[in-house]
Structures are given as structure tokens and as C-alpha cells.
Amino acid sequence: MERDAGNRKNRWPLIFGVTLTLYAAFTLLDAFVFPRNVVSVKELAQNDGISETDAAPEEALAESGSDDEIVAVAEPEITENSYTSDAVSITITTLERYGTQVYVADVILADASYLKTGLAGGSFGRNISDTTSHMAEENEAILAINGDYYGFRDQGYVMRNGYLYRDKAQRGSDQEDLVIDEDGSLTIVRETEVEAAALTEAGAVQIFSFGPGLIADGEITVNEKSEVEQAMRSNPRTAIGEIEPLHYVFVVSDGRTKESEGLTLLELAGVMQELGCQTAYNLDGGGSSTMWFMGGIVNHPTNGHRSGERSVSDIVYISES
């Protein structure tokens, strides 16, 4: 009897330990693996009449013409580092700044509808991710960069292609968001100062909640102490900037390697100012930083331990489709 009582007594710590381990494992899987709060873009299009992508202006013109009217669309001119059509002009160059390779895509559009965003798996939700290159191919992109990795957070405004997926502001922070309006203009706002509904009513089409803002009215808005939470000071970086209406730069830098140290936020802001940006915004960086152009990855994605793309929630891309 004493032996049985001792076995039962020793069994409870074991059961408690196993239970605690299983709970911890479930918590990690729920946070980083199991998809949650999934919203399908296609279902939204069917239920709400919202199109996944707006029709390109030349397509709308062709549809509105008479039966005997033929609209001629010239074939784009494509080189290893450029794409030129009647609607889209993209030129990619490489700079070296602060011991780091920086890749710059200069983008000029005829219409704001060519600037789009895509979601991993065509759905919004936690723990839904894919590589930038695969999302670019699925969306028939010409050029793409990673977005703000909204799925890594439960808070922060999220709007994509005119649909407001999340209107919950980040608590206890001075979060800066990037807003892209119907006319393609870029504006940086603080979530503490404006509600998502007001941005929607004002004509927002895209809202990103990573940040911080880098440049406003042509002036750098970060300093030497500015950094993304839990990030190293020198990192691979991704940013988007507006030089003038419908003239943008997509910028991605390498980092965390012997060949490229990476950039601080202040250094990144300096590059964006050098390029002539009046507004510029920092997107997700580190292992997420990827630029894709016409079927290939332009930069060298890495997280410092291994090379290759990291799966992310979303992309920003240019497409005529």
C-alpha cells in the first residue's frame, strides 16, 4: 500500500509537467502556425462586389468602345533591369551605401490602379504566409516587394485594395501608418490621431502598419536612436517612397552578411532623401526584405543564419493585369 501511495504521489508532478509542455507547445503553434481569422479575398469580391484588382485603364477603354473600334496596345520594352510600356516605367539600379548593397526600383505610372497589394494565399488572417516571389507570380506582377507582414501582429490598421480588414489600433504606442489614396498619393498618419473609418471615408485604398515613417515633406523624420522594436540596428531593409505624383521608388537593401552590413533607419531615410522622396515609409525588413522583378529575385534575402526568402503575409506590387 505504501508503495502504491508513493507511485501515485510521484505521478502528479509528471502529469503536471507533461500538461504544461503540451500547453506551451499549443500556445506557440496557435501564435505562429495555426491560421486564424481568415478572410478570403475572392469571397469578399463575391459577397461585397469588391474586385480583387481594379481593371487597368486600357482594358476599361477597350470594353467601352464600339464593336468596330480596335484599341492598339503597344508591347512593353523589357530589358534585364527595365520595363517600359504606355502605362508603366520601371528601372532598377544598384547603389552602395554604408557598406551595403541597395537596390532601387524607380517606378512611374500612368494611373494609380497599377500600384497594388497582394495577400498570401489570397486571404487575410494570422499565420497565412508565402514567399514574395510566389505571391508576385500568382498576381502576375512586374515588380514586387514584401509588405508590412501584418500577420505577425494582432493590432494595427490593415487595408488592402480598398477593403479594411483590421481597424484595431496598436495599444500604448505612437504607431505611424502609411496610407495610399485613390490617386496614388502617400501619406503618413498616426493611429492615435485618426481612426481607420475616417481614413476609409477620406479615400484610402491601402494602409500599412509597420513603420516608422522615414520622410515627410522631404525632411527626414527619424534619428540615430530610431529603430524597429527587437531589431538590430543594421538590417536588410524595405521601403517605399513617393517622389512626385505617380512617381515612386521601391527600395530594398541587403544586410547581415560580410558583403553587406545593412542599414540603420536613419541611413535608410538618407538614401530615400537622396533619391528625391517627399514621403517615405519603412516596411518589414530583416529576413523579409525581398525585391522581385520579371521572374527573378533582385537582392540577396537572408536572416543572417541562412540565405533565401522568408515567407510573409503580403506584398506591394506593380502590374498591368
Side-chain angles (χ1 to χ4, degrees):
M1 292 293 292
E2 291 180 0
R3 181 181 299 175
D4 291 342
N7 290 338
R8 286 195 296 271
K9 184 177 180 180
N10 294 332
R11 191 180 304 149
W12 286 112
L14 177 61
I15 293 174
F16 177 77
V18 171
T19 302
L20 185 63
T21 300
L22 291 174
Y23 176 77
F26 174 80
T27 301
L28 290 172
L29 289 170
D30 184 55
F32 300 107
V33 178
F34 298 147
R36 290 192 294 161
N37 305 321
V38 179
V39 179
S40 169
V41 174
K42 289 186 177 180
E43 289 178 359
L44 288 174
Q46 294 171 354
N47 297 335
D48 299 335
I50 300 174
S51 62
E52 292 183 61
T53 55
D54 296 330
E58 70 270 15
E59 292 176 355
L61 179 61
E63 291 174 0
S64 65
S66 61
D67 293 337
D68 58 354
E69 182 180 359
I70 299 177
V71 179
V73 179
E75 289 293 320
E77 296 181 8
I78 303 172
T79 70
E80 183 179 356
N81 59 6
S82 68
Y83 177 102
T84 306
S85 72
D86 293 338
V88 174
S89 172
I90 299 171
T91 303
I92 295 178
T93 56
T94 303
L95 310 174
E96 184 171 346
R97 297 291 185 271
Y98 310 102
T100 300
Q101 293 293 107
V102 181
Y103 307 88
V104 179
D106 187 271
V107 179
I108 301 176
L109 306 178
D111 187 271
S113 64
Y114 299 110
L115 175 59
K116 307 175 185 181
T117 55
L119 301 177
S123 298
F124 172 89
R126 283 291 303 272
N127 301 323
I128 301 176
S129 62
D130 199 355
T131 61
T132 294
S133 58
H134 189 241
M135 283 187 274
E137 291 167 354
E138 284 194 328
N139 287 281
E140 299 182 5
I142 303 167
L143 169 73
I145 55 174
N146 61 286
D148 69 356
Y149 208 158
Y150 73 83
F152 199 70
R153 305 175 302 280
D154 286 320
Q155 303 169 8
Y157 301 158
V158 180
M159 175 181 280
R160 297 294 186 271
N161 297 324
Y163 191 88
L164 183 62
Y165 290 96
R166 189 165 68 202
D167 61 0
K168 186 177 182 180
Q170 291 202 37
R171 295 191 301 267
S173 70
D174 201 15
Q175 173 63 37
E176 291 182 328
D177 289 0
L178 175 68
V179 178
I180 304 180
D181 293 330
E182 293 173 322
D183 63 0
S185 61
L186 273 58
T187 307
I188 296 171
V189 302
R190 298 183 186 275
E191 289 186 350
T192 55
E193 298 176 354
V194 60
E195 294 184 353
L199 296 173
T200 302
E201 293 175 2
V205 176
Q206 321 284 355
I207 304 177
F208 301 90
S209 56
F210 194 88
L214 301 170
I215 293 179
D217 297 323
E219 299 297 324
I220 293 176
T221 56
V222 292
N223 56 48
E224 292 181 354
K225 297 181 180 180
S226 299
E227 192 45 81
V228 178
E229 185 178 356
Q230 296 181 342
M232 296 183 292
R233 287 190 57 79
S234 294
N235 283 285
R237 302 284 185 179
T238 301
I240 183 173
E242 180 183 20
I243 295 175
E244 58 185 3
L246 300 178
H247 186 182
Y248 311 95
V249 285
F250 291 10
V251 174
V252 169
S253 79
D254 290 336
R256 302 178 184 173
T257 67
K258 294 180 180 179
E259 294 76 18
S260 290
E261 295 180 9
L263 302 177
T264 66
L265 285 177
L266 181 59
E267 289 168 346
L268 177 61
V271 171
M272 303 304 282
Q273 188 179 56
E274 175 188 341
L275 294 171
C277 292
Q278 296 302 301
T279 305
Y281 187 80
N282 179 59
L283 294 167
D284 187 24
S288 299
S289 289
T290 305
M291 178 181 288
W292 183 97
F293 175 69
M294 294 298 295
I297 299 173
V298 177
N299 66 310
H300 301 90
T302 178
N303 63 9
H305 303 290
R306 63 177 179 82
S307 298
E309 293 180 82
R310 176 165 69 191
S311 293
V312 294
S313 301
D314 57 308
I315 60 172
V316 184
Y317 70 98
I318 305 296
S319 177
E320 294 193 65
S321 300

